Amino acid sequence: MLKKTLNFLLLFFLLLIISACNISADSKSTIINLKDRCYWAECDADSTFEEAERMQFHKFSTAGIGNIVRVAGKSQEYVWIRITFTVPQQLKDETLGLLISYLHFADKLWVNGSYVGSYGDFPPKIKSALWGSHFYVIPESLIYQNERNTILIKVYCKGKSGISDKIMLGKYDEIKEIHTFRTFIQSIIYVFAEGGMFFTALLFFMIFIWRKKESAFLSFSLLCISSMLIATPFFAPQLPLTYPNNLPYIPFIKSSLCLGLYLITFFLSNFIIEFVGLKPTRFLRILSISILSVSALLTFAAPTYTFLMAICPFMLALSLIQLVSPIVFIAKSTLTVQGKKDLKILLLTFIPLFISIPADFFIKGFLQKADSPYITLFGWLVTILDFIIIMSLRYNKAVSQNEYLNVKLRREVLKQTRELSRKNIKLEEEIRRAETDLEMASLVQKKFFPYPPKNIRGWDIAVSYSPLSKVSGDMYDYYIEGNNLNGFSLFDVSGHGVAASLITMLAKNIVFQAFVRNLANKESVSRTLYEINDEIIEAKGDIENYLTGLMFRFSDFDENDTCLVEMANAGHPNPIYFSARTNTCQELLCAKDADHHGAIGLDFITVSFPQVNFTMEEDDILLFYTDGLTESRNGKNEMFGKMRIHEILQQSYAKDAQSIMEDIIDTYNAFTKGAKRDDDITVVVMKRENSSNFVEELIGI
């Protein structure tokens, strides 16, 4: 399809060239061509048509573009052109029309001494008629029907001027018709090209917005905008709001023709590279931007039109470098298979432009057809049209692939959704069973850790046990003989949830048996922790969980109602001891020279659990906990810490153990309000009571 489209456009383009070479309107017998009756004479800015009538005129020795400059010289700013004719029989007693298909730069025209009209403006308000044809109405009253008539045209040359070889005189209606046709061919036809480029730029800019990864679409959009600039001078005189009414000639030419050319070469170089799937290097980007900047600065700094024409070859050379640089870059790069294919397509799309450039040189240079349309502009327009087709096909291909992938994806999603729905039903059933099992595990675990009885001599004990989920990795136990409390332990298994809870059930019996055995053998609590470590390592095998913990042993009360407490710590947070006599809190630490390290259940790791001994008197408080309490954070990422516990003990020490516990929990809840908890929390408060009161209660005194 692409080849057929290119062939059609090429055929259309060739027909356009042929028609441009053969546009003629002098086939009508009532129209005469005055091209062989043109004479010229030098003059200055103040020269009048009265003076012109007495001047010595010379016949043009050359024709076509620039013929005035070639005979008068580049330094000559003004010339008079004289054309004489006698009215043929078929044109007598008619209002005539005069059509000069091309005359540059500005002119004023008199017929038989009467001013008829002008195109463009002379200095100081310099404006050009640009490329449009010049049409003058010559009333019947100004014409000598049986004598020779003289047309005088004062031309402002501006360093580069010429008059076409189509100077047609005929009946007003016929010349007007030719003028309308030539205005269309030489000016208005470019408006259609302008509109096409505008909507093309808008279309591909929107495509770029939708597909931001395709930078070639943006370059192509900007390329079309630049092409609009360079086409503006060809139709601007026909539009009421554009040149020549609102902008002087030189700034207009700089902003349209010159800047348009620089921008076209800049964006075209980017587009060529991006089209074949490459990215320009940093050096190439700097080179392109530098060429664009230098060209624009030199152009807009040009003080005169003559200077602008003088630097024109240099500007064209820079633009050529701008175009050659991406070609060199592509030649040195390694293209993918698709990139090579895109390069071939790119070369095919430039065929109309490659044909139009030499065609313009032939028509305007060799044939000197100044009034023919610029074929290169149409060649570029056809090239852009080729790109529109190619880019549209590329976009359509991408969209089609996406649609195919979307359909395939929808089918796959639907299939997976059905499969997932089936599995979800099964999973929900498994979750319900798991939740039931977990609930049962929670009940069993809680039975493992019953709340301490109240009838323990000399002790008031409160325990807060709060799992993160239904089951916990925290474990506590107390060891009672009759009404006497022999010991208490608290352990924290690493992790939480089901795995940690299973370790607590495994460890509870081991800890209990080790405590009872070593109590009977009068072994230290430190020794008991060593044995617990060995037995748990053997029992749990390759399970990675480990434990930290505290173990306490309490002696009988002496005559002063004090008891000795033996404690060993296996990597657990240090307990807090409150002395009622001094109203102070302190952490229970090992001696400074004691080697204390390690946790329970880590194989091949040396551990050390030194023993700490201290005494407790009436109203003294021992508080210990798992690290979920002190390491919890609030919404400001602040830790609960130990100091708040110290403050609560100093303020609430006179209360019973349960009340002290409630003060701690209330303070904790207020501190962490709204924050998510991430660990189990167990807190134990042990307060010494008068042991003799317990005896009195038992005997009923």
Side-chain angles (χ1 to χ4, degrees), residues 575-593:
I576 298 174
Y577 169 64
F578 173 78
S579 172
R581 182 164 48 83
T582 61
N583 193 24
T584 58
C585 292
Q586 68 179 61
E587 289 187 57
L588 296 175
L589 306 172
C590 298
K592 292 183 179 179
D593 57 349

Side-chain angles (χ1 to χ4, degrees), residues 261-290:
L261 174 64
Y262 307 151
L263 291 175
I264 284 176
T265 55
F266 176 77
F267 290 119
L268 182 58
S269 64
N270 288 337
F271 174 71
I272 291 172
I273 294 173
E274 293 163 352
F275 185 82
V276 297
L278 298 176
K279 289 186 177 180
T281 62
R282 185 178 180 183
F283 170 77
L284 193 59
R285 288 185 182 277
I286 294 174
L287 177 64
S288 297
I289 294 173
S290 299

